[in-house]
Amino acid sequence: MTILFTVTALMLASCVSNAKIPDNATSTQLIQLGQDAMEVSNYTAAEQYYMAVIQRYGMDTATYIEARYELGHLYLKKKDYTQAYECFSEIVEIFENAEIGYLPAAYKKLAQMGLSNIPDGKLTKLQKAE
């Protein structure tokens, strides 16, 4: 019984561990690692992978948008509606200022859908006015 408890405790501890971010990982690989972490509800690691994408590859607008979308989705799952709103709103704003056809248009629609998934009453009046 003690062994089972120890194994279970170790498995749970590993679910909230920090991400091990490979030095040579591409943005696509880091996004996939983040998505894999989200699938097992390791939100801390997922956020770290997405933030690594932004830090390493964020100068590419399309990559930045993809990572910000993933962060918004993560925050929505965590019910951190303020941060989700910030991510999705930023993406929509980037598209409003971008040249048509320059960015993958699917992320604009996904960000708008993300915004619509934030429950009413979960944002301040100031945020809604933006």
Side-chain angles (χ1 to χ4, degrees), residues 20-40:
K20 299 208 183 327
I21 300 172
D23 290 334
N24 60 348
T26 66
S27 62
T28 303
Q29 290 168 328
L30 291 172
I31 293 285
Q32 185 62 55
L33 288 169
Q35 291 170 339
D36 293 345
M38 276 191 56
E39 283 183 24
V40 295

Side-chain angles (χ1 to χ4, degrees), residues 2-52:
T2 305
I3 293 173
L4 179 60
F5 177 76
T6 304
V7 169
T8 303
L10 288 172
M11 287 174 46
L12 289 174
S14 70
C15 288
V16 294
S17 66
N18 289 332
K20 299 208 183 327
I21 300 172
D23 290 334
N24 60 348
T26 66
S27 62
T28 303
Q29 290 168 328
L30 291 172
I31 293 285
Q32 185 62 55
L33 288 169
Q35 291 170 339
D36 293 345
M38 276 191 56
E39 283 183 24
V40 295
S41 300
N42 188 348
Y43 300 134
T44 300
E47 184 175 29
Q48 291 171 349
Y49 287 122
Y50 300 142
M51 293 303 288

Side-chain angles (χ1 to χ4, degrees), residues 100-114:
I100 294 174
Y102 177 69
L103 299 170
Y107 283 104
K108 179 180 181 183
K109 183 67 175 172
L110 289 169
Q112 290 169 331
M113 289 170 49

